[in-house]
Amino acid sequence: MSEVTQAKDAELLSGADYLRNILRAPIYEVAQVTPLQDMDRLSARIGNRIQLKREDRQPVHSFKLRGAYNMMSQLTPAQRKAGAIAASAGNHAQGLALSGHKLDVSATIVMPLTTPAIKVDAVRSFGGKVVLHGNNFDEAKAHAEELAQQYGYTFIPPFDHPSVIAGQGTIGMELLQQNGHLDYVFVPVGGGGLAAGISVLLKQLMPNIKIIGVEAEDSACLKAALDAGCPVTLDQVGMFADGVAVKRIGEETFRLCQQYLDDVITVSSDEICSAVKDIFEDTRAIAEPSGALSLAGLKKYVEVHQLQDKQLASILSGANLNFHGLRYVSERCELGEKREGLLAVTVPERPGAFLDFCHILGGRTVTEFNYRYNDDALANVFVGVRLMQGQEELDGIIHDLRKGGYPVVDLSDDEMAKVHVRYMIGGRPSKPLKERLYSFEFPEYPGALLKFLNTLGTHWNISLFNYRNHGADFGRVLCGFELEDKDLLSFTSHLHELGYQWKDETENLAYKFFLAQ
């Protein structure tokens, strides 16, 4: 049965039907009742009682086990004998593998070739059979569906199925048992299974509780669907919070989210990094980015709506983090909390100018200072400043610098400046170039760079190249090309042929300040 057919059939289910299915879900044969833990430090800081639902404490370190087991437990004897299959690069794969081991059902998981070894090994350790295929999730899913047709496997979708939704909804039941006085519950949204399951249960039993969906701004498929009135497919999604990097929300999950969620909020990667730090400081747990997503949304919602003295819960949905990804989190968390500002400042080349500049900063801690002599008149300086009072303090610094005769641009929200330019200060071409600048996300698989060079590098001269990877499934690349205007149409055609995510950065201010001619 296709996912579309399943979703259409599921439209017959009422809220009461879902409530019954959630209460009858046999997931505790394998899953744990996870703690609802107080976050004392964060609670004191923002003036509300904050609690964290610790789904990282599940045997597979994420909530996905609940939905996978609930659906697999309902397979017929014939289906169990044939086996189950799924496509996943992470948590759903591990949930399916452990469920198959517990139920004695052969579980095959198709994972993209780009999947880190730590995740592949984890699936195998739970007894799953791994098939590596394709360079992204869509290619892996297509192959999984082909294998399901060929061998008669039952396809277990990651979110858009009533049984999966009901399994995830058991978290809502636990929340009420652990704190029946909650005012708000914040739930991460990728494909919508968790948000649908929790919201449909809570609204049946405690409709006064406000349920807020939280999305990463670069993969906000629910928000796009709500704006359009139906599920739509995003052109591309960011991969930092890979657990919620879904281009299209499910049909049934959208129906339920549209009906039962009270609000939706989006957060940036920096805000997610800040939430990862908050979780660590309060609990010593290390959340994956998508696992900290709902706490990031909680913090932002509290600030926007000026909530005080409320009881708020968020879901730590997973902790399957590639350790090296913490480099990125550590680097960006201060920006997400508005505890650091990044500035491009023009300083005159005269004796004492730097000292005057430091006097204007007023003894604040400088976290970063990048400078290289450029000409006899002016220098562009890249500066990081520690902040104690957030954006208001940064605005004051900018005002004082401009008043003191120092032109300044705020780069705190400039992604290219934070990922690439801060490491490349001083790299200007020694001769005039007709240069255009592009950023790319490279899939981390053998031959990715070779494909890039074969597609683009043999046609146009590469004038700048910077590669950054923080342990993710993709690398960030900044690349300059010598391009005449007449070449742009052909060049763009080759970009589409390449198939990597890209963005034209030629007009970026950080580039103009520090790298351009």
Side-chain angles (χ1 to χ4, degrees), residues 21-34 55 58-59 63-74 98-99 102-103 163-174:
N21 291 343
I22 292 169
L23 295 175
R24 296 168 63 181
I27 60 112
Y28 298 107
E29 295 171 4
V30 65
Q32 305 293 320
V33 175
T34 55
E55 284 299 290
Q58 292 294 354
F63 76 96
K64 287 286 190 177
L65 176 62
R66 296 173 182 262
Y69 189 86
N70 190 47
M71 182 170 177
M72 288 186 69
S73 69
Q74 298 173 41
L98 181 56
S99 298
K102 178 72 175 179
L103 294 166
S163 297
V164 174
I165 294 168
Q168 321 301 26
T170 56
I171 294 176
M173 181 173 60
E174 292 175 20

Side-chain angles (χ1 to χ4, degrees), residues 321-340:
L321 176 71
N322 186 329
F323 179 78
H324 296 294
L326 290 173
R327 287 182 291 174
Y328 180 89
V329 172
S330 176
E331 188 176 88
R332 301 292 285 269
C333 61
E334 297 298 288
L335 289 163
E337 195 61 48
K338 301 297 183 183
R339 294 178 183 173
E340 183 183 28

